[in-house]
Structures are given as structure tokens and as C-alpha cells.
Amino acid sequence: MAWLRPCWPRCAALRWRPGGAAWAPQLGKAPGVAPRGPWHPHGGRGLRTASPGLGEVPLTSERYRVRRLPFSRLSPQDVAFFQRLLPGRALTEPAALEPCNVDWLRSVRGSSTLLLKPQTTAEVSQVLRYCSERNLAVNPQGGNTGLVGGSVPVFDEIILSTVLMNRIISFDTVSGILVCQAGCILERLNEYLEQQGFIMPLDLGAKGSCHIGGNVATNAGGLRLLRYGSLRGTVLGLEVVLADGTVLDCLASLRKDNTGYDLKQLFIGSEGTLGVITAVSILCPQKPKAVNLAFLGCQNFSQVLETFTTCRAMLGEILSAYEFMDEKCMELVEKHLKLSCPVRDSHFYVLIETSGSNSTHDEEKLNSFLEQAMTSGLVTDGTVATDDKKIKMLWSLRERITEALTHDGCVYKYDISLPVGKLYDLVTDMRARLGQSAKNVVGYGHLGDGNLHLNITAESYSHSLLDAIEPFVYEWTARYNGSISAEHGLGFKKKQFIQYSKPSEAIFLMQRFKAMLDPKGILNPYKTLPSSS
Amino acid sequence: MAWLRPCWPRCAALRWRPGGAAWAPQLGKAPGVAPRGPWHPHGGRGLRTASPGLGEVPLTSERYRVRRLPFSRLSPQDVAFFQRLLPGRALTEPAALEPCNVDWLRSVRGSSTLLLKPQTTAEVSQVLRYCSERNLAVNPQGGNTGLVGGSVPVFDEIILSTVLMNRIISFDTVSGILVCQAGCILERLNEYLEQQGFIMPLDLGAKGSCHIGGNVATNAGGLRLLRYGSLRGTVLGLEVVLADGTVLDCLASLRKDNTGYDLKQLFIGSEGTLGVITAVSILCPQKPKAVNLAFLGCQNFSQVLETFTTCRAMLGEILSAYEFMDEKCMELVEKHLKLSCPVRDSHFYVLIETSGSNSTHDEEKLNSFLEQAMTSGLVTDGTVATDDKKIKMLWSLRERITEALTHDGCVYKYDISLPVGKLYDLVTDMRARLGQSAKNVVGYGHLGDGNLHLNITAESYSHSLLDAIEPFVYEWTARYNGSISAEHGLGFKKKQFIQYSKPSEAIFLMQRFKAMLDPKGILNPYKTLPSSS
């Protein structure tokens, strides 16, 4: 087929990995391609990127005018207790605390004066028992790669880092079940598993920095969800320390266990507000032997949807990703990053990945699908890649959209779940609504999961533009029973919008769970749920 | 390969479906192959089968000497209220109540005098609000196919049946998301989906009778779990009515939603003790285009395990079942059911199913694997089947073991999860322990899921035999961090054994959740959790 050109060789850029090696949240080294744009302190709405110089991130408490809850203040006696408990691992030096007080987006900043680095569950338990008795607030922290301000303190919460809890406890090569401490870095786990013919069931841009405990605490989604499902199914067990120091050992390594309520599920996605995850048991899939990528152009969103149903039927069990992006995304990637798209003149682009156990079979399936998609006119142009380097190049077109957007001005970011048929209507409606007041309104995301990343750029921050976007974007999402946070969570920045996706009965019940498990509210306060008062 | 004989043509029996068409729990028609054996009233231990004549099932309250909790007694005014609320659907006739008061195994019996058949969530809400105010206990009931006494009343609880809540609300052919009422029968849903190229992500022997709401309430496992994962991952949303009548609408149809705690998970597997599930949103996979089955013989359990790792590596994404059975199982199936096994002289048998989107590819993969397994000596004999009839015949060898066991005498049944490497050691140890006091000790099950069905038969019931089995079986399971109920739940019969699989901190927390969500304890009392007092 003439349209199946070899993957173009011009772009040698690697996949963009926020929080990855070049992107580790080390504030001492400002990354060269950090999110850009001026600061727009405005009451917690949207997820806007910005990149001020070092030391310029305003305190969250001041910017958002949050009232500190009546927790105790850290005393010298408290610090002495923690230094006895964790010798050399209870840090008070500003240089040690600074990177843990500011989030990766550099959008929120706490003022904690104590960083604790326990190595064992028993130490976490002792820390929390003490904090509970003393009424000291605690901010559990993994890799600090979250995007909604959930991973850093708002005031002076003690930072409880899992950075030294990075031990692999066991891996069973028959069952594929991995048990490890919460502070293991996702990419390290994946490397460990690959040596034994397995992979982690999740993959994220932030894999080089994020901790598996944080992934579970935020119910991270990512690139492999279409194929391997969510953490709700792959996490088999958790060890959690409750607010009062009680250790809840539900660290089962079993695929099936129907003995009572599945308590661990409450902690998955609770963003550290109900307990501190200290260890994880997770089911890992076999490492695929063959990976193929197709990058295709469609003329309208209906064709994007129909291409999805066609490829799901024809690729079946080997389909591992179905991503889409609109032509505006591609323009920005080409303009700001000088990447070149091998497929042109399409209104939409889709990226289809297959992962399977037999390269010949997989290529046959892919070619059959592509022929069908071309013959029926669903797809007008495309290219395929089978080797690692070209696959990475094609992926970069999709993965570097976020980066390209940060070069386009002030960015208003939304992470929305919708019924897949309605996914792009929100972009169209938003574009029509904003007209010339926005520079660009773009849509891309994990179509296979019904997850839209809606981004709006403008030359500079405008309060009236924000008012045109919100609450419209949330109301629109709620009208179609969507979720206002598909995979990022609520954290500090989105907690007040929960009612757009959850009924009041559910929010009330969540608040009761919180009150029951953490009656003093010391765990990650000011996050996830609106105040119950 | 010489050993790959065509599937033998002698057995024409269809798959045995407990609770299926021929097995519907209609007490007026005693099924011809019902579980056999005398009644052995003994304090709730094990799961023993029996099949007394009609009307002979003793009352649970008398046999187990349970003390009735201080719920109100149903008054004529109460009955009048429900008959006004549900005209013609609030039944008090003994003939209507009898099949709902006794479980499918005919092992427990309640004495309810009122059967309610709501059609809508609003009606369920009104029923529960009234019951809550009046302190009337309620037994939610789906298809009544449970095996641990969880689905029928213990005393005079009002039976709240979902039998008339059988409406499909929506199905999205792009996303594969089905939304339906809780009373839809699993097999009907599967038939509906097959017409549209999809299947349900779970399959059970009881599919012809069980309700999807009951499946979710008990977190049913079954035959497709290896491939499609558990309901924890595939159930996307639930609508639940709480004990006080509050409707909790978490019926999202989204693959991703990270807005707050995932409340629905608490109700999955809670066996009707925390709320009544009224509607379900579930992600359904594509219907596979090709299915193959291989039935193989291995000489020892190590080979069964190694064959599993080999086939998982070589069949990869198309592996959909890996079941095993020991030679004793096969002897019983041949002796009692006159089935003939096409593979002989092996100590273990494995059944491997593939489901994929391309029959040529799948057969190639399967043949490569089989050649490897034979060449390396893992497998000593085997046969394969690709057409529906022969596949059903081969499946019947595995699926009819339960039936064969009931013909072997008094059966002591255990449903255990273990780390897969330890799976058969329990059978060996039990056999050695019981010696001549047991007739047969057999092991089979879902090896791919680490799920062992351990069954012990004897000519007649013996208290001393039971004492030799329990608590040994539970202690053994606990020693290897297994689960004493892999997929059946705890219900009435196993609730007192939960401590073998869950730590006291977890049980205490479960009791607090129960107390919070159902403070009067009216929902499915006497089930799932040991009393907190």
C-alpha cells in the first residue's frame, strides 16, 4: 500500500517524560523545557502551568487564602522525638525541604519544616501514632509528580516521604505477582521485571520519578490501561498505616480472595487522606514480544471513532493503545518543537499500538486492519513502525503535546472522562464558545479509555477567559455524566469541583469515611474532599 | 504429532450448569443429579452437600442454634403497606416463598413470610426506608445460587428479590459498556451482548439463574477471570440503595474516574450486607472469533506448573483458561458419570483454552506450544478441539467433577486461594493426614487464578473426620497466606472463619463500616462478618 511509508527519520527526540530522568523535580536544576507562562494566582480553578524562577513560587496558603486548621505546631521536642526515631532521616534543613514543599508544576508551595524518611512500616506506624497523639498534620509524599497539588503540604504539615522505602519484597515468576515497598520507583520496578520477562501493568510519563505507592494512592491511569485495566483490578493487596498508627495488613498475593469487604480499594485513589500506603502487591503481565505502531490520519471525529471500533475488532487482544490528537495539537508540536509529522492534511490523527507474543501474527493482523481502514475510507493517510527507535519517534508526537502547549502561552488544562462518542464535542463547543478570546483550543488523549485532555492557550492570563471556561467545562462534563478528573485526582486544586462528578450522597459518605478513619483529619489535610463543615 | 488425537466422540453430555436451565432452583422439581448425601447438621463448618427430600431441609435457626437479633416482627400493617407499595408483588403465599427460603444446595432454610419484588430503584428505596424505620430485617436475593448460605434468610427476614429488575438500560457498542438493572440474568446478558459482538467479562456454572447484581454483590470469579480480570476492574459503576433508603448513584459509565473515594468497591463482594445493588455498569470485552481447547496429561504437579508458565509465555494474550484436575477427579468422573477421558495414565490433567481474534494465528500458537511441551517432556499425552461440540465435551470433564463428587458420598467442600506453587501441597498433606478415614481426597480448580477446589468424600458423615479436616485446612491455608474463600464468599456458613484470612485490624474495620452504613444491622443479618459484640 502506497500510503504505508516508512517512518520518517527526521525527528530523533526521545519520548518526553515529565518527571523522568531529565525532568526529575530537582529545583536546583531548572529543566530546559519546563512548563512556561506567567503565574496566574487565581482561586484554584483549572490546572494552569507556569514556570517562575527558583524561589518564586508563592505560598499556597497565601495565594489561595486557605485557613490553617487547628493542628498543633511542631515543637523542638517533636523534632527531637523524630530525630531519635529516625536518626539522620528527620531533616529540617531548608535545602532538603525545598524540593518537597513545591510541586513538579511549580504551582503550589507549602512551608513544612520537617521531612521524615522512614525505611520500615513500623517506623511509619510510630510516626503516625505520635502525630495522631500530638495532633500534628502529615503530608504523605511519593515521587511528588502529581498535577493537582496533592503531593505537597499546604501549610506546615510534616512531610512523610516514602523515598527510602524502596525494597522489592518478592516476585513470583509463576503467578507474576510482585510485592514491594511503596517507595519503589515505577521505572525501576519495570526494569527489574523486564529482566524476568514481565512488565508493570501501568506506564506513565512520570515513571522515572513516581513511586508505586503514590501511583496506587492516586489510582494512576496512563498508557497501558486500555490493555491491562486499572489498578483496581491489578493491585491485589496493600499494607496501609492508618492515621492512629494502626498497621492494616491486607498485603495478599492472591488473585482471588472473597473474605469480607475489600478494604484496600478505599485506599486506592484516596490520595493519602485515609492512610499511608507502605507496601503493594500487584499482578504483572508478561512482557510482550512484539510491539507495532501505526500513525494514521482521519478527516473527522466520526472516522476516529469508527476506526477505533474497527481496529478493536480486527486487532482484538493485541491492541494496547489507541490515542488521538487533533490537527491543532500537531500544528503546535511542529511549530514549537520542530517535530515533523509523517502524515499530513488530516483533521485528526490516531496512534495505534499493538503488543503481542508473535511478531508475524501481529503484523498480519495490523496489515489486515490497515487495508480495511484504507479501503473503507476511514483513514486517508498513515505510517507504521516496528523498531524501537521509530516507535519512540512516533510516540513523541503524541507525548510531547503537553510540552508544546507550554510553549504556546498560558495554558488552561483539563483532564476529562466522557462517554467516548461525546469526547470531542466538548472541544468543538469550547472552541465555538471562546472564539477569538483563546489562542488555541486543542483536544487529545486516550480515546480507548474515554479520556480527553482539553487544553486552552492564551497569550497571557485573563480572568474573563477563565470565567468563560469555568464552570462551563465542568457543567458540560456533568451533563454527559463525565468525570472532571479522569486520572489526575482532585488533590488540592480540584477538590471543590467534585460535585460535578459525584452526587451529594456520595460526597457525604466519603466525608464520613474520612471522619471514621482519620477523626483528627491529620492525613493530607485540605485535599481531595471539600470540607464537611 | 501422534499424541494429538482428535477429540473422542463418546461423550455427548452438555456442560453441567448448576443453576442452569435443568438446574434452576425450583424446589418443586428435584433435579435428577442434585448433590447427594445425608444431612449432617453440624455447626456451620465446611461446605457439605446434601439432598434431602422436599420439605426436609431443617430450619437454619434450629440446626445452627442461632439467636434471633431483636428486629421487629412483621405485622399485618407492615404487609398491608408493602402490598400497597408493590401491588401484586408483595407475596405471602408459602408456595411463592418456599424456593426463596431454601438455598440451591438445600443446606440452609429460612422462615420468611414476605417476598417483595420491586421493579425500580425508587421502590427498593421505599422498602428499605420503611424497613429501617420499623427495624425490619431484609434479605436481598438475586438468583439464589450462592454456595455459602448467604442468599436466603436465617430467620424471618423479608426477602427482597431483584427478579423483576431485569431491564437493560444501555449498551455502548463503541466503549463496550453495558448498564443494566441488578436482576438481569447473566446468561441473558451474554446472549444479548453476543448479538452485538461482545461477551460478559465473567462466566459461571450458575449463569442460567444468577443475577448480575448477585454476581457483583458476591464478587463472583468463574471461568473468565484469568483473561478478563475480576469484577473489581470490570465493574465501572453501581447504583446502590443503602439501609436507610438513600440511593447512592455511582453508576458511572467511564473507564476512568478519579474524583474521590471509589465507594462502589465497598459494595462489590459485601454480600448484601452494606446496601442493595440495584444497577450495574460493566465493561464488556469483544466476543472472541476463535476458541481452541487442549486437554493434556502431566506426570506431576511441578510439570503442571511448568506447563502453565510455558503456555502463558507462548500463548500470551490468547490464553483464556488454565484449569487442572488430579487423577482422582478423573476416576470419579469416569466412574460416576461414565464419561471417558481421551488422555490416560497421567497423575494430573490440564485444560488449556485459547480465545482470540484470528483462528489461524491461534492454532499456530497453540501448536507451537504443544510441540514445545511435548518435546521437553512436560506433557506426556493430550488432545485438542476446535469445534464447539468437542470443546463442550472436553470442558464437561472439568466442569462435571462437582457433580461426580456428589455421587461419591458425603462431600466436604473447600474453596481455597493459595500461592500457585503451593496449590497442590494442601491436597497431598490432607490426603496423608486423613489416610483411610476419607474415601477420596481430590484437588482441581482454576490454577491460573491460584484457586483450588479441595473436596473430601466419605461413605457417610463423621464428626471425627470433620475434626480431622477443620481447622487444619484453614490453619494450613493461613500459614501460606491463602484465602479460605477464593470466590464463594463467606455468607452464613463461613463468616466465623474470616480470621484465618484477615487480620483482626481488618475485621474490626469491616465491622465499623457495617455499623456506619447499616447502624441497625437490618441488611442480610447473620452473614459475612462475625458479630462485633
Side-chain angles (χ1 to χ4, degrees), chain A residues 6-69:
Chain A
C7 185
W8 81 119
R10 280 165 286 179
C11 167
L14 292 174
R15 285 166 74 171
W16 179 71
R17 294 209 176 281
W23 278 82
Q26 299 165 341
L27 294 193
K29 304 173 193 167
V33 281
R36 294 285 156 81
W39 272 111
H40 308 295
H42 181 83
R45 297 201 293 176
L47 173 63
R48 295 179 301 286
T49 60
S51 172
L54 281 178
E56 291 173 28
V57 182
L59 286 170
T60 306
S61 54
E62 292 174 3
R63 177 189 296 164
Y64 293 95
R65 294 182 193 164
V66 194
R67 201 178 57 183
R68 187 180 180 281
L69 292 169

Coordinates of all heavy atoms in Angstrom, one line a residue, chain A residues 6-69:
Chain A
P6 N 7.6 4.3 5.1 CA 8.5 4.0 6.3 C 8.5 5.2 7.2 O 8.3 6.4 6.8 CB 9.9 3.8 5.7 CG 9.8 4.4 4.4 CD 8.4 4.3 3.9
C7 N 8.7 5.0 8.5 CA 8.6 6.0 9.5 C 9.7 7.1 9.1 O 10.8 6.8 8.9 CB 8.9 5.4 10.9 SG 8.7 6.6 12.2
W8 N 9.3 8.3 9.2 CA 10.2 9.4 8.8 C 11.4 9.5 9.7 O 11.3 9.3 10.9 CB 9.4 10.7 8.7 CG 9.2 11.4 10.0 CD1 9.7 12.6 10.4 CD2 8.5 10.8 11.1 NE1 9.3 12.8 11.7 CE2 8.6 11.8 12.2 CE3 7.9 9.6 11.4 CZ2 8.0 11.6 13.4 CZ3 7.3 9.4 12.6 CH2 7.4 10.4 13.6
P9 N 12.6 9.8 9.3 CA 13.8 9.8 10.1 C 14.2 11.1 10.7 O 15.2 11.2 11.3 CB 14.8 9.3 9.1 CG 14.4 9.9 7.8 CD 12.9 10.1 7.9
R10 N 13.4 12.1 10.5 CA 13.9 13.4 10.9 C 13.9 13.7 12.4 O 14.8 14.4 12.9 CB 13.0 14.5 10.2 CG 13.4 14.7 8.8 CD 12.4 15.5 8.0 NE 11.2 14.7 7.7 CZ 10.1 15.1 7.1 NH1 10.1 16.4 6.7 NH2 9.1 14.4 6.9
C11 N 12.9 13.2 13.1 CA 12.8 13.5 14.5 C 13.5 12.5 15.3 O 13.1 11.3 15.4 CB 11.4 13.6 14.9 SG 11.2 13.7 16.7
A12 N 14.6 12.9 16.0 CA 15.3 11.9 16.8 C 15.0 12.1 18.3 O 15.7 11.5 19.1 CB 16.8 12.0 16.5
A13 N 14.1 12.9 18.6 CA 13.8 13.2 20.0 C 13.3 12.0 20.7 O 12.5 11.2 20.2 CB 12.8 14.3 20.1
L14 N 13.7 11.8 21.9 CA 13.2 10.7 22.7 C 11.8 11.1 23.3 O 11.4 12.2 23.2 CB 14.1 10.4 23.9 CG 15.4 9.8 23.4 CD1 16.4 9.7 24.6 CD2 15.2 8.5 22.8
R15 N 11.1 10.1 23.8 CA 9.8 10.3 24.4 C 10.0 11.3 25.6 O 10.9 11.3 26.4 CB 9.2 9.1 25.0 CG 8.7 8.2 23.9 CD 8.4 6.8 24.4 NE 7.2 6.8 25.2 CZ 6.7 5.6 25.7 NH1 7.2 4.5 25.3 NH2 5.6 5.6 26.4
W16 N 9.1 12.2 25.6 CA 9.1 13.2 26.7 C 8.5 12.6 27.9 O 7.4 12.1 27.9 CB 8.3 14.4 26.2 CG 8.2 15.5 27.3 CD1 9.2 16.4 27.6 CD2 7.0 15.9 28.0 NE1 8.7 17.2 28.6 CE2 7.4 17.0 28.8 CE3 5.7 15.4 28.1 CZ2 6.5 17.6 29.7 CZ3 4.9 16.0 29.0 CH2 5.3 17.1 29.8
R17 N 9.3 12.7 29.0 CA 8.8 12.0 30.2 C 8.8 13.1 31.4 O 9.9 13.3 32.0 CB 9.8 10.9 30.6 CG 9.8 9.8 29.7 CD 10.1 8.5 30.4 NE 10.0 7.3 29.5 CZ 8.8 6.8 29.2 NH1 7.7 7.2 29.7 NH2 8.8 5.7 28.4
P18 N 7.7 13.7 31.6 CA 7.7 14.6 32.8 C 8.1 13.8 34.0 O 7.6 12.7 34.2 CB 6.2 15.1 32.9 CG 5.5 14.2 31.9 CD 6.4 13.5 31.0
G19 N 8.9 14.3 34.8 CA 9.4 13.7 36.0 C 10.4 12.6 35.7 O 10.9 11.9 36.6
G20 N 10.7 12.4 34.4 CA 11.7 11.4 34.1 C 13.1 11.9 34.3 O 13.3 12.9 35.0
A21 N 14.1 11.2 33.8 CA 15.5 11.5 34.1 C 15.8 13.0 33.9 O 16.3 13.6 34.8 CB 16.4 10.6 33.2
A22 N 15.5 13.5 32.8 CA 15.8 14.9 32.5 C 14.8 15.8 33.2 O 15.0 17.0 33.2 CB 15.7 15.2 31.0
W23 N 13.8 15.2 33.8 CA 12.7 16.0 34.3 C 12.5 15.8 35.8 O 11.5 16.2 36.3 CB 11.4 15.6 33.6 CG 11.3 16.3 32.3 CD1 11.9 16.0 31.1 CD2 10.5 17.5 32.0 NE1 11.5 16.8 30.1 CE2 10.7 17.8 30.7 CE3 9.8 18.4 32.8 CZ2 10.1 18.9 30.1 CZ3 9.2 19.5 32.2 CH2 9.4 19.7 30.9
A24 N 13.5 15.2 36.4 CA 13.3 15.0 37.9 C 13.0 16.3 38.6 O 13.6 17.3 38.2 CB 14.5 14.3 38.4
P25 N 12.1 16.3 39.5 CA 11.8 17.5 40.2 C 12.8 18.1 41.1 O 12.6 18.2 42.3 CB 10.5 17.2 41.0 CG 10.6 15.7 41.2 CD 11.4 15.1 40.1
Q26 N 14.0 18.3 40.6 CA 15.1 18.9 41.4 C 15.1 20.4 41.1 O 15.5 20.8 40.0 CB 16.4 18.2 41.0 CG 16.4 16.7 41.2 CD 17.6 16.1 40.5 OE1 18.1 16.6 39.6 NE2 17.9 14.9 40.9
L27 N 14.7 21.1 42.1 CA 14.5 22.5 41.8 C 15.8 23.2 41.6 O 15.8 24.3 41.1 CB 13.7 23.1 43.0 CG 12.3 22.6 43.1 CD1 11.5 23.5 44.1 CD2 11.6 22.6 41.8
G28 N 16.9 22.6 42.0 CA 18.2 23.2 41.8 C 18.6 23.3 40.3 O 19.5 24.0 40.0
K29 N 17.9 22.4 39.6 CA 18.3 22.4 38.1 C 17.0 22.6 37.3 O 16.2 21.7 37.1 CB 18.8 21.0 37.8 CG 20.1 20.6 38.6 CD 20.4 19.2 38.2 CE 21.4 18.6 39.3 NZ 21.6 17.2 39.2
A30 N 16.8 23.8 36.9 CA 15.6 24.1 36.2 C 15.6 23.4 34.8 O 16.5 23.6 34.1 CB 15.5 25.6 35.9
P31 N 14.7 22.5 34.6 CA 14.7 21.8 33.3 C 14.5 22.7 32.1 O 13.8 23.7 32.2 CB 13.5 20.8 33.4 CG 12.6 21.4 34.5 CD 13.5 22.2 35.4
G32 N 15.2 22.4 31.1 CA 15.2 23.3 29.9 C 13.8 23.5 29.2 O 13.6 24.5 28.6
V33 N 13.0 22.5 29.4 CA 11.7 22.5 28.7 C 10.6 22.5 29.7 O 9.5 21.9 29.5 CB 11.6 21.4 27.7 CG1 12.3 21.7 26.4 CG2 12.0 20.1 28.3
A34 N 10.8 23.2 30.8 CA 9.7 23.2 31.8 C 8.5 24.0 31.3 O 8.6 24.7 30.4 CB 10.3 23.9 33.1
P35 N 7.3 23.7 31.9 CA 6.1 24.4 31.6 C 6.4 25.9 31.6 O 7.0 26.4 32.6 CB 5.1 23.9 32.6 CG 5.6 22.6 33.1 CD 7.1 22.7 33.0
R36 N 5.9 26.6 30.7 CA 6.1 28.1 30.6 C 4.9 28.9 30.9 O 3.8 28.3 31.0 CB 6.5 28.4 29.1 CG 7.8 27.9 28.7 CD 9.0 28.6 29.3 NE 10.2 27.8 29.4 CZ 11.0 27.6 28.4 NH1 10.8 28.2 27.2 NH2 12.0 26.8 28.5
G37 N 5.1 30.2 31.0 CA 3.9 31.0 31.2 C 4.0 31.8 32.5 O 4.7 31.3 33.4
P38 N 3.4 32.9 32.5 CA 3.4 33.7 33.8 C 2.5 33.0 34.8 O 1.7 32.2 34.6 CB 2.8 35.0 33.3 CG 1.9 34.6 32.2 CD 2.5 33.5 31.5
W39 N 2.7 33.4 36.1 CA 1.9 32.9 37.2 C 0.6 33.6 37.2 O 0.5 34.8 36.9 CB 2.6 33.2 38.5 CG 3.5 32.1 38.8 CD1 4.9 32.1 38.9 CD2 3.1 30.8 39.1 NE1 5.3 30.9 39.2 CE2 4.3 30.1 39.3 CE3 1.9 30.1 39.2 CZ2 4.3 28.7 39.7 CZ3 1.9 28.8 39.6 CH2 3.1 28.1 39.8
H40 N -0.4 32.8 37.4 CA -1.8 33.4 37.4 C -2.5 33.0 38.7 O -3.3 32.0 38.7 CB -2.6 32.9 36.2 CG -1.9 33.2 35.0 ND1 -1.6 34.5 34.5 CD2 -1.3 32.3 34.1 CE1 -0.9 34.4 33.4 NE2 -0.7 33.1 33.1
P41 N -2.1 33.6 39.8 CA -2.8 33.2 41.1 C -4.3 33.5 41.0 O -4.7 34.6 41.0 CB -2.1 34.1 42.1 CG -1.6 35.3 41.3 CD -1.3 34.8 40.0
H42 N -5.0 32.4 41.0 CA -6.4 32.6 40.9 C -7.1 31.4 41.6 O -6.8 30.2 41.2 CB -6.9 32.7 39.5 CG -8.4 32.9 39.4 ND1 -9.0 34.1 39.5 CD2 -9.4 32.0 39.2 CE1 -10.3 33.9 39.4 NE2 -10.6 32.7 39.2
G43 N -7.9 31.6 42.5 CA -8.6 30.6 43.4 C -8.7 29.2 42.9 O -9.8 28.7 42.8
G44 N -7.6 28.5 42.6 CA -7.7 27.1 42.5 C -8.4 26.6 41.3 O -8.7 25.4 41.2
R45 N -8.7 27.4 40.3 CA -9.5 26.9 39.2 C -8.6 26.4 38.1 O -7.6 27.0 37.8 CB -10.5 27.9 38.7 CG -11.5 28.4 39.8 CD -12.7 29.0 39.2 NE -12.4 30.3 38.6 CZ -13.3 31.0 37.9 NH1 -14.5 30.5 37.8 NH2 -13.0 32.2 37.4
G46 N -9.0 25.3 37.4 CA -8.3 24.8 36.3 C -6.9 24.2 36.7 O -6.6 24.1 37.9
L47 N -6.1 23.9 35.8 CA -4.8 23.4 36.1 C -3.9 24.1 35.1 O -3.8 23.8 33.9 CB -4.7 21.9 35.8 CG -3.3 21.3 36.0 CD1 -2.7 21.5 37.4 CD2 -3.3 19.9 35.6
R48 N -3.4 25.3 35.5 CA -2.6 26.1 34.6 C -1.1 25.9 34.9 O -0.7 25.8 36.0 CB -3.0 27.6 34.8 CG -4.5 27.8 34.4 CD -4.9 29.2 34.6 NE -4.7 29.6 35.9 CZ -5.6 29.3 36.9 NH1 -6.6 28.5 36.7 NH2 -5.4 29.7 38.1
T49 N -0.4 25.9 33.9 CA 1.1 25.7 34.0 C 1.8 27.1 34.1 O 1.3 28.1 33.6 CB 1.6 25.0 32.8 OG1 1.4 25.7 31.6 CG2 1.0 23.6 32.7
A50 N 2.9 27.0 34.8 CA 3.7 28.2 34.9 C 5.1 27.8 35.3 O 5.3 26.7 35.8 CB 3.1 29.1 36.0
S51 N 6.1 28.6 35.1 CA 7.4 28.3 35.4 C 8.2 29.5 35.9 O 9.0 30.0 35.2 CB 8.1 27.6 34.2 OG 9.5 27.4 34.5
P52 N 8.0 30.0 37.1 CA 8.7 31.1 37.6 C 10.1 30.7 37.9 O 10.4 29.5 38.0 CB 7.9 31.5 38.8 CG 7.3 30.2 39.3 CD 7.1 29.4 38.1
G53 N 10.9 31.6 38.2 CA 12.3 31.3 38.6 C 12.3 30.7 40.0 O 11.3 30.6 40.6
L54 N 13.5 30.2 40.3 CA 13.6 29.5 41.6 C 13.2 30.4 42.8 O 13.5 31.6 42.8 CB 15.0 29.0 41.8 CG 15.3 27.7 41.1 CD1 16.8 27.4 41.3 CD2 14.4 26.6 41.5
G55 N 12.5 29.8 43.7 CA 12.2 30.6 44.9 C 11.0 31.5 44.7 O 10.6 32.2 45.6
E56 N 10.4 31.5 43.5 CA 9.4 32.5 43.3 C 8.0 31.9 43.5 O 7.0 32.6 43.3 CB 9.5 33.0 41.9 CG 10.7 34.0 41.7 CD 10.8 34.3 40.2 OE1 9.8 34.4 39.5 OE2 12.0 34.6 39.8
V57 N 7.9 30.6 43.7 CA 6.6 30.0 43.8 C 5.9 30.5 45.1 O 6.4 30.3 46.2 CB 6.6 28.5 43.8 CG1 5.2 27.9 43.9 CG2 7.4 27.9 42.6
P58 N 4.8 31.2 44.9 CA 4.1 31.8 46.1 C 3.6 30.7 47.1 O 3.3 29.6 46.6 CB 3.0 32.6 45.6 CG 3.2 32.7 44.1 CD 4.1 31.6 43.7
L59 N 3.5 31.0 48.3 CA 3.0 30.0 49.3 C 1.5 29.8 48.9 O 0.7 30.7 48.7 CB 3.1 30.5 50.7 CG 4.5 30.5 51.3 CD1 4.6 31.2 52.6 CD2 5.0 29.0 51.5
T60 N 1.1 28.5 48.9 CA -0.3 28.1 48.6 C -1.2 28.8 49.6 O -2.3 29.3 49.3 CB -0.4 26.6 48.8 OG1 0.5 26.0 47.9 CG2 -1.8 26.2 48.3
S61 N -0.8 28.8 50.9 CA -1.7 29.4 51.9 C -2.0 30.9 51.7 O -3.1 31.3 52.0 CB -1.0 29.2 53.3 OG 0.3 29.8 53.2
E62 N -1.0 31.6 51.1 CA -1.2 33.0 50.8 C -2.0 33.2 49.5 O -3.0 33.9 49.4 CB 0.1 33.7 50.8 CG 0.8 33.8 52.1 CD 2.2 34.4 52.1 OE1 2.6 34.8 51.0 OE2 2.8 34.4 53.1
R63 N -1.6 32.5 48.5 CA -2.2 32.6 47.2 C -3.7 32.3 47.2 O -4.5 32.9 46.6 CB -1.5 31.8 46.1 CG -2.2 31.9 44.8 CD -1.7 31.0 43.8 NE -0.3 31.3 43.5 CZ 0.5 30.4 42.9 NH1 0.1 29.2 42.5 NH2 1.8 30.7 42.6
Y64 N -4.0 31.1 47.8 CA -5.4 30.6 47.8 C -6.2 31.0 49.0 O -7.3 30.7 49.2 CB -5.4 29.1 47.7 CG -4.8 28.6 46.4 CD1 -3.5 28.3 46.2 CD2 -5.6 28.5 45.3 CE1 -3.0 27.8 45.0 CE2 -5.1 28.1 44.0 CZ -3.8 27.7 43.9 OH -3.3 27.3 42.7
R65 N -5.5 31.8 49.9 CA -6.2 32.3 51.1 C -6.9 31.1 51.9 O -8.1 31.2 52.2 CB -7.2 33.4 50.8 CG -6.5 34.6 50.3 CD -7.4 35.7 50.0 NE -6.7 36.7 49.2 CZ -7.4 37.7 48.5 NH1 -8.7 37.8 48.5 NH2 -6.7 38.6 47.8
V66 N -6.1 30.1 52.1 CA -6.7 28.9 52.9 C -6.5 29.2 54.4 O -5.5 29.9 54.8 CB -5.9 27.6 52.5 CG1 -6.7 26.4 53.0 CG2 -5.7 27.5 51.1
R67 N -7.4 28.8 55.2 CA -7.3 28.9 56.6 C -6.7 27.7 57.2 O -7.1 26.6 56.9 CB -8.7 29.2 57.3 CG -8.6 29.9 58.6 CD -9.9 30.2 59.2 NE -10.7 28.9 59.3 CZ -12.0 28.9 59.7 NH1 -12.6 30.0 60.0 NH2 -12.6 27.8 59.8
R68 N -5.6 27.9 58.0 CA -5.0 26.7 58.6 C -5.9 26.1 59.6 O -6.5 26.8 60.4 CB -3.7 27.2 59.3 CG -2.8 26.0 59.8 CD -1.5 26.5 60.5 NE -0.7 25.5 61.0 CZ -0.9 24.8 62.1 NH1 -1.9 25.2 62.9 NH2 -0.1 23.9 62.6
L69 N -6.0 24.8 59.6 CA -6.8 24.1 60.5 C -6.0 24.0 61.9 O -4.8 24.1 61.9 CB -7.1 22.7 60.0 CG -8.1 22.7 58.8 CD1 -8.2 21.3 58.2 CD2 -9.5 23.1 59.2

